[in-house]
Amino acid sequence: MTGLTDLLIPFVSGLFLGIIYFSLLKFSLEMGLGSRRPVAVNLAAFFLRLGISALCFYYFAREGEPQPVIACAAGFFLMRFVMVRLLKDITWAQKAPAGGK
């Protein structure tokens, strides 16, 4: 059985991963709204976020135990709820350029 201190590092890593992931998501959406090629910006940002997340989860999954992966995912999803609460007041329609370009 994995001790509580052994699960604290994956949980905190999941929190930081959530901050990075959802901050990059917000940044890419803002950049996409003002870009001439929003699909390319959002697609590149998606693969960047996917790669960072996959590397982090792989790091904790490589030992074959599910507990560190679950702790990392718990931290990640906890930070998702926090970021949604923090960013829910943003109105994206006000940031969109006139004319759709």
Side-chain angles (χ1 to χ4, degrees):
M1 182 85 184
T2 306
L4 183 62
T5 57
D6 293 338
L7 295 179
L8 188 61
I9 292 172
F11 181 75
V12 172
S13 298
L15 290 174
F16 284 123
L17 179 63
I19 290 171
I20 292 168
Y21 186 90
F22 293 108
S23 295
L24 283 174
L25 176 62
K26 177 186 174 287
F27 179 73
S28 67
L29 289 175
E30 288 175 350
M31 291 292 294
L33 285 175
S35 175
R36 294 181 69 197
R37 295 191 175 117
V39 174
V41 169
N42 286 314
L43 194 61
F46 167 74
F47 284 116
L48 177 67
R49 291 188 321 265
L50 179 68
I52 291 170
S53 301
L55 284 174
C56 184
F57 281 108
Y58 173 75
Y59 178 77
F60 291 114
R62 66 189 170 133
E63 295 178 8
E65 294 183 11
Q67 293 91 354
V69 178
I70 293 170
C72 185
F76 181 82
F77 287 116
L78 177 67
M79 191 50 64
R80 179 201 176 269
F81 291 121
V82 170
M83 294 293 279
V84 165
R85 294 278 185 205
L86 289 175
L87 300 176
K88 78 177 191 176
D89 293 333
I90 294 177
T91 55
W92 298 103
Q94 292 175 354
K95 294 188 178 199
K101 291 186 180 181

